[in-house]
Amino acid sequence: MNTPRTIHNLALIGFMGTGKSSVGRSLATHLHFRFVDTDELIESRTGRSISDIFAQAGEQVFRGIEKQVVAELAKAQRTIISSGGGLAANEENMASLKQHALVICLWASPEVIWERVHTQTHRPLLQGADPMSKIRELLAKREPFYKQADVLVNTEMRSIKEVVQQVLHQFNLARGTSSAKS
Ligand code: S3P
């Protein structure tokens, strides 16, 4: 029943603060692919910020819109998809991405994530009284999903440039092209 998998795209999944957007933009430039950030797409579609959607409509509504966006992206070609941190924590979303994209998870420990995000204010899930506990809790819940990625790339102690090179290498291997050609 499963339709055969064809890798037209590259999807980055992983927790907040793992560098999906920065890495994704750079990959798109290197590969001459289109770049789509699911959060940006949701914001432009709804005309509201992610924070406003969470505050006014709630997380469930946000997850519903996120799911629609994932379903639409099944038609994408030559696209780098940078996904919101919670998008992959849903069986259907993961299955959909895997049909058309090489799924790469960017990884970091809770401590490193905290270092990277604690001064930022645009992530509603981390605006509570104890963001470090929230990071640990969410990461533990999501880890089984993140580990279903085709490739896991540790972003700790690596620059964005190094992560990009690592991802490019994996993508070229998956497509059967030599990284020397990219
Ligand atoms: C979320 C991560 C955010 C954004 C929303 C929810 C999450 O995206 O989708 O705030 O549930 O982890 P980033 O991972 O790009 O910060």
Side-chain angles (χ1 to χ4, degrees), residues 60-72:
Q60 288 291 92
V61 169
F62 172 76
R63 297 296 171 201
I65 308 171
E66 193 169 57
K67 216 164 168 184
Q68 277 171 27
V69 163
V70 174
E72 287 170 29

Side-chain angles (χ1 to χ4, degrees), residues 14-17 20 39 50 54 62-63 66 83-86 123-125 142:
F15 206 77
M16 299 173 257
K20 293 164 295 193
D39 286 338
I50 302 296
F54 268 73
F62 172 76
R63 297 296 171 201
E66 193 169 57
S83 64
R123 294 184 177 95
L125 290 174
R142 293 174 181 178

Side-chain angles (χ1 to χ4, degrees), residues 10-14 20-21 24-25 34-50 53-54 62-74 76 79-89 93 96-97 100:
L10 193 159
L12 295 173
I13 64 168
K20 293 164 295 193
S21 300
R25 276 179 213 287
R34 188 166 75 105
F35 174 75
V36 172
D37 180 305
T38 58
D39 286 338
E40 283 177 10
L41 202 55
I42 291 169
E43 288 184 331
S44 72
R45 288 273 172 87
T46 58
R48 291 189 283 174
S49 69
I50 302 296
I53 301 172
F54 268 73
F62 172 76
R63 297 296 171 201
I65 308 171
E66 193 169 57
K67 216 164 168 184
Q68 277 171 27
V69 163
V70 174
E72 287 170 29
L73 285 170
T79 301
I80 305 291
I81 300 161
S82 168
S83 64
L87 182 150
N93 287 347
S96 177
L97 289 180
H100 58 88

Side-chain angles (χ1 to χ4, degrees), residues 91-105:
E91 302 279 357
E92 278 176 53
N93 287 347
M94 269 300 261
S96 177
L97 289 180
K98 282 234 180 150
Q99 274 302 313
H100 58 88
L102 184 75
V103 178
I104 297 201
C105 178

